[in-house]
Amino acid sequence: MALTLTTARSAPASAELVGIGVFSDRDRPSVLDGAALDSRGFEGKLGSTMIVDSDKGLRAAIGLGPVDQCSPATLRKAAASFARAARRHKAVATTLI
């Protein structure tokens, strides 16, 4: 299977799943249903992911841990967690850099 990477200002309509980073000590991004995440125990811990349905399609909350501990290593770990969660989707997008 070929892998294609592109950059864009927003997720393309073709993305089946969009991953959005969530810090454990910050408010949840408004595009995620915070109540759904809370009810399922998502805390934003580094390496955790949770897929939830939204009015804009499937979204994956990607745990980034505390904002003051964010580093290239933590972003790599978060991206790996998202990759595992997204493995069954053909087209994905993420807000992670």
Side-chain angles (χ1 to χ4, degrees):
M1 172 170 68
L3 176 65
T4 303
L5 299 175
T6 59
T7 59
R9 291 187 184 270
S10 61
S14 61
E16 298 171 15
L17 176 66
V18 178
I20 300 164
V22 179
F23 288 106
S24 60
D25 56 351
R26 293 285 193 257
D27 290 337
R28 306 279 169 74
S30 60
V31 297
L32 293 170
D33 182 350
L37 294 174
D38 290 342
S39 71
R40 294 172 62 192
F42 184 82
E43 298 175 347
K45 291 180 181 177
L46 179 61
S48 63
T49 57
M50 183 169 291
I51 297 175
V52 293
D53 203 1
S54 77
D55 59 345
K56 295 183 179 182
L58 291 177
R59 299 292 182 255
I62 306 166
L64 300 174
V67 70
D68 65 344
Q69 294 178 14
C70 188
S71 69
T74 59
L75 290 176
R76 280 191 301 274
K77 186 170 184 176
S81 173
F82 175 60
R84 285 188 299 276
R87 70 183 176 272
R88 291 187 170 88
H89 300 275
K90 290 183 180 182
V92 300
T94 183
T95 59
L96 296 177
I97 298 173

